Amino acid sequence: MRIIYIGDATSIHVIEWAKYFSGCGYEVHIISDNFNSLPDLKIHYTGQCLYKPHLPFVSATLQIAIKIIKIRKLVNTIKPDIIHAHYATNYGFLSSFFKNIPLMLTCHGSDILIDYEKKTINKIFIKKALKRADIITAPSHNMKNKIIHILKSTSPKIVKIQYGIDIDKFEFKFDLVKGIINI
């Protein structure tokens, strides 16, 4: 199986997902704006695609178009079985243009909880990414609920995948006097 991660190659979340599946024997590629050199992972650097002179709308539109073209060339060359995008605002949006490949979208926090509220363009990008995704993961109940609110749907394609210890499965009691955690 071939997996493409479209996300920040310096993000610990992208790195851990990619390393895990690479360790399982899958062919793993990362497509990113940010360069990183990681053993056993194939990283494809798209660059920042910024051009001068800077004209806000024109420059942003041109940058998005160039990134989509670069990513499309890589996707067509690699021929992945699945794309896993990280962060809905930018990489999720860019990944939403590949309709014939299953898309998993992992949201991380500020994309859903902060970016979505900041600008109308963010809302457009995030909604497109969420609607296109075949499965959406969120690390908390409140993020999952926000995604449900954005999509106006309780779709089973939205799942919570907890980073670290799932507190729904373990009850913690901390004794302040003894400094002991009981599970």
Side-chain angles (χ1 to χ4, degrees), residues 171-182:
E171 182 179 334
F172 294 92
K173 295 178 184 169
F174 185 73
D175 185 328
L176 291 172
V177 177
K178 297 180 184 174
I180 299 172
I181 296 176
N182 296 311

Side-chain angles (χ1 to χ4, degrees), residues 61-97:
T61 304
L62 184 60
Q63 180 178 356
I64 291 167
I66 291 169
K67 284 183 183 185
I68 290 169
I69 291 166
K70 285 182 173 187
I71 294 169
R72 186 174 308 279
K73 286 180 183 178
L74 289 166
V75 168
N76 289 338
T77 301
I78 297 165
K79 296 179 178 31
D81 297 295
I82 189 167
I83 293 174
H84 185 171
H86 283 255
Y87 202 78
T89 311
N90 50 10
Y91 294 111
F93 174 74
L94 293 171
S95 299
S96 70
F97 289 90

